[in-house]
Amino acid sequence: MKEKRRAVALYSGGLDSTLAIKLVQNQGIEVIAVHFYTGFCITETKRRRGEKKPDGSHYMNPALKYAAKYGFRLEIVDISEDYFGIVTNPKYGYGSNINPCIDCRAFMYKKAKELIKEFDADFIVSGEVLNQRPMSQHLKAMKIIEREAGVEGLVLKPLSAKALPPTIPEIKGWVDREKLEGIVGRSRKRQLQLAKELGIDEFEQPAGGCCYLTDENFARKYMETVSVENRITREDLYLLTIGRHFRLPTGTKVVVSRNEGEGNFIRGLKNNYWFFEPVGKGAVAIAKTIERRDLTEDEIKMIADLVARYSKTNENGKIDIRYRSPEKNKEGVITGQRMQEETIESWRI
């Protein structure tokens, strides 16, 4: 017989998942917090690119930050490669944007089930709250998710446990159901009260913008890419998370950096796309033709003018722009003229 039970907890670093872990730890259960990296977490993506917040501070992954603060053992698991198929072809469809919430949760539970074996654990812990989110956190969706993942009865949701059917950990007496919560709905009043009771004095404020897939702008760019190009690649998806996006009248897509971090990311892709960089201070850009053809002279001039719009030009609105093809067989310098705002807006995706 095992002397101590162990659980794998899905951990975002948010208040709900922090409280869930604390409630289970307080019953003598060893908890391993697991943070899945999908490639679409806004904060983590910006952190990896080295971007800074408006106040000059660096972005920090909430899971890393709060696992360290509250003493959780944390494992970060990169699932981004396998996650591509979940985004592009979800069995249960999307939410209001390109968020495949039901498929996403089922996929993470499948991965957590694999970790149960790896860590010799007994069950899974989740910070989900019944009826908090419309697509994936009502009872019917929760049952579908667990059935799809093959984890029926194995997922303990400590914040809503009393409002849900008993799970295996409760039935077998590994945890005391009476010491768990019965929170239902979107109000966070009980969570905030519980945080004080459990000594959780710092946490991320809830915001709907933690995932690019729930972002309206990301969704619009995704749908535009599929509509115009009739396909989307894994790299296309990551490009949608950065920069200003434009579609030239010829169908060529241009992505222009907005800050230093994005500029560094785009420079890392310059061998895969047409690359544009000012001779001086300003934004950098990459261009992608639908047919993977060479850019025309007219397109090169249009992109140079576009980059000039976001660069430090002279008093006449001009700046020299270097350009290079991905095959490096075409390169040169062309003078860009700051483009008119009306034209820019007509091209903006």
Side-chain angles (χ1 to χ4, degrees), residues 157-324:
K157 302 176 177 72
L159 295 181
S160 293
K162 290 180 180 177
L164 294 168
T167 59
I168 292 171
E170 297 164 274
I171 294 169
K172 292 195 172 184
W174 300 340
V175 297
D176 184 348
R177 182 178 173 88
E178 293 306 309
K179 294 180 181 178
L180 303 176
E181 296 289 317
I183 303 171
V184 178
R186 299 176 66 87
S187 172
R188 295 174 62 80
K189 184 177 179 179
R190 176 53 186 158
Q191 284 97 315
L192 295 174
Q193 180 184 10
L194 192 59
K196 291 182 180 180
E197 294 173 8
L198 296 176
I200 307 298
D201 58 0
E202 183 185 356
F203 47 86
E204 291 288 293
Q205 293 301 319
C210 63
C211 176
Y212 280 112
L213 302 176
T214 65
D215 181 76
E216 184 178 347
N217 292 326
F218 182 96
R220 185 183 66 254
K221 290 183 285 189
Y222 176 97
M223 297 306 293
E224 192 275 347
T225 300
V226 173
S227 174
V228 174
E229 302 180 23
N230 296 316
R231 63 191 290 269
I232 195 162
T233 67
R234 186 180 172 201
E235 192 165 87
D236 287 332
L237 283 176
Y238 296 140
L239 278 179
L240 297 182
T241 69
I242 66 163
R244 308 171 181 94
H245 286 238
F246 303 92
R247 183 76 66 179
L248 303 188
T250 58
T252 292
K253 175 183 275 190
V254 183
V255 181
V256 183
S257 66
R258 293 174 296 191
N259 52 51
E260 184 180 359
E262 290 187 348
N264 292 335
F265 182 83
I266 286 176
R267 284 187 179 90
L269 298 172
K270 65 183 180 182
N271 291 329
N272 300 334
Y273 301 93
W274 281 80
F275 178 67
F276 292 77
E277 183 174 32
V279 182
K281 293 184 178 180
V284 298
I286 52 176
K288 171 191 172 187
T289 58
I290 296 177
E291 307 86 0
R292 291 293 181 177
R293 58 171 173 79
D294 281 344
L295 294 178
T296 65
E297 294 301 319
D298 285 345
E299 287 177 311
I300 291 172
K301 182 62 170 70
M302 284 189 282
I303 297 168
D305 291 348
L306 187 56
V307 173
R309 167 63 181 79
Y310 299 103
S311 300
K312 188 174 182 180
T313 59
N314 63 21
E315 63 276 9
N316 297 316
K318 295 181 178 181
I319 187 172
D320 286 340
I321 308 292
R322 295 191 189 96
Y323 65 88
R324 190 183 75 183

Side-chain angles (χ1 to χ4, degrees), residues 102 130-131 133-143:
I102 291 178
L130 182 63
N131 294 339
R133 295 182 180 176
M135 185 174 183
S136 63
Q137 292 185 3
H138 54 86
L139 186 58
K140 182 179 178 181
M142 287 179 169
K143 289 181 177 180

Side-chain angles (χ1 to χ4, degrees), residues 2 5-9 24 29-34 116 119-125 156:
K2 291 174 65 172
R5 295 292 168 181
R6 181 180 296 133
V8 169
V24 174
I29 305 292
E30 180 185 349
V31 179
I32 301 169
V34 176
I116 284 180
F119 295 132
D120 190 27
D122 301 286
F123 60 97
I124 299 166
V125 172
L156 177 69

